[in-house]
Amino acid sequence: MATRLDQIGLKHHFVVAGDYNLVLLDQLLLNENVKQVYCCNELNCGFAAEGYARAHGAAACVVTYTVGALSAFNALASAYAESLPVILISGSPNTNDLGAYHLLHHTLGTLNFRYQLEMARHITCEAVAVTHPEEAPYLIDKAIRAAFRNRKPVYIEIPCNLSGALCSAPGPRASLLDLPESDPVSLAAAVDAATAVLRKAVRPMLLAGPRLRSYGGVEAFRDLAEAVGCGVAVMPSAKGFFPEEHEQYVGVYLGSVSSPGCSALVESADAVLAAGPIFNDYTTVGWTSQPAVSKTIHVDPDRVHVAGVTYNDVFLNDFLAALAEAAKKNPRNGTTLLEFRRTQLESALPPTADQDAPLTRAEMCRQVQDVIDPNTTLIVETGDSWFNGFNMALPDGARFEIEMQYGHIGWSVPATFGYAVAAPDRRIVLMVGDGSFQLTAQEVCQMVRLKLPVIIFLVNNRGYTIEVEIHDGPYNNIKNWDYAGIMAVFSSSDGDGRGFRATTGKELAAAIQEAVAHETGPTLIECTIDRDDCTKQLMEWGPGLPQLTDELLRVLSCPAPWTVQQIRLDGAAWRPR
Ligand SMILES: Cc1ncc(C[n+]2csc(CCOP(=O)(O)OP(=O)(O)O)c2C)c(N)n1
Ligand SMILES: [Mg+2]
């Protein structure tokens, strides 16, 4: 296992120790090329690996049986949704325990020791359990190969008593990392069909989707954009996959809450090539906006849909590269770009607020924007931080990370930790809401432990503001914390994390100055803003999402034939129509 993790290029793996994995951890420590990084709990451990995979391409984490693994599963599901090859390794009962009728701790107290493997199958593309030392090299390779081919997580279970057992040495890594090749006939046909569509189009557009990076298409997409010469928009989770300073860049496409001028271009285009998109309820703003299917060349990771025909076994990277070669510049393709530039007002810099006035969201964003340089990775958490992030300008080289398909609040703190471990030379900036932070806050102590100079903007708006905009109630209020003060707790006597509270523009500017200069640990800046001070995009996006409104209840509930009357929870009698 250690040799393979080393050979696939991992420099670290993330760990929470437990008595089902201790011997395994000893074995992994023998390979000094792959360092162990410890986490506070297994959910965070999984998310740290997820964040590491974003920066490094792949990741591994090691946990103990059931009590550990079941927590890590949530993060593994995130890696599935976000298409990241994360390898989850769990210790498991000895191979003789079942036959010996041994009831074991950390289990359900039954003799079923298979449930964890069965559960893992649903959230991985390959789940294996080693049951004999000689099977280990084969099963480990099988799982790792699947992770790289599918860009999805995998699960490997290793019994305690086999963790130190001898097995045959692994051979050279051979084809472990190879991607499958497209079917040449399908590929050529798909490229022909797409070329014909693009050639005919008067107002073509390119749209980058979240799967573009996972499936290795970022460079080919840029080549294609330059070959076609048309406008390029990105979906929110693909922000940063096409350079924002490029002359063809037109902004973030998110239906009615897109960046200025962008949705009109995408929706009026006569051909849209969407590379690795995910059109879900969030990204279509509650199914209100999506480029017309009939006009879309839809490029999935392993198939392409063009003009009502699906070309299977055509891989995204191959397709984009071949199409870039084939696409000829259409002189009219610049039309949309020209229109776009005409509609853009001179982008005025946001006004600087009165520096002694209470801090506002807009002033906070204005100052965060100044921190983002070409070497920055901006990581944004679910919440209004998403929308704050979409609005930030990324200079060339800057990167952007978001977990918009899975949307687990609390993801960002451990994922930022993992990302920072993988990319120690980048400036890592996190924007996270108070509610999200409360889920996984403790992982900041690992940033302190490893002296990672992450800058955390903790947006304290006293609650779940994004939920307030979707559907408000008392459940959106949360207990306030002394977020700035928490850094002293995490630093204790052997760390150097710093915490500041900014209640005005002046205090924020001073805190940022300290944060940028602080190199021996993380800095958390608590930005206190009003509970209702949110982006205008959130105000429009939130109410657009489908919810359990009375109208939907009426549409969805098909009463059973014997139902005469149903009593709603609020006591109001409701009769089926
Ligand atoms: C694990 C999990 N639980 C619950 C939710 C539902 N949820 C989505 S956003 C959100 C609130 C986020 O609040 P905060 O981090 O304070 O962001 P804000 O919008 O206030 O800036 C909640 C509870 C979720 N997405 N994930
Ligand atoms: Mg909040």
Side-chain angles (χ1 to χ4, degrees), residues 40-98:
C40 297
N41 65 48
E42 287 83 356
L43 173 67
N44 293 355
C45 184
F47 278 140
E50 201 260 26
Y52 187 91
R54 287 168 183 266
H56 199 73
C61 50
V62 189
V63 299
T64 195
Y65 196 59
T66 305
V67 289
L70 265 53
S71 290
F73 278 177
N74 204 336
L76 210 61
S78 174
Y80 197 105
E82 303 286 320
S83 297
L84 295 161
V86 171
I87 302 161
L88 174 65
I89 301 154
S90 175
S92 64
N94 294 326
T95 45
N96 63 314
D97 282 326
L98 179 64

Side-chain angles (χ1 to χ4, degrees), residues 93-104 110-114:
N94 294 326
T95 45
N96 63 314
D97 282 326
L98 179 64
Y101 207 92
H102 288 161
L103 292 181
L104 299 173
T110 68
L111 282 178
N112 178 357
F113 303 141
R114 296 282 293 180

Side-chain angles (χ1 to χ4, degrees), residues 384 432-436 459-466 476 478:
D384 202 23
V432 54
D434 48 352
S436 302
V459 187
N460 185 355
N461 52 13
R462 299 288 184 110
Y464 297 156
T465 293
I466 188 172
N476 292 329
I478 60 175

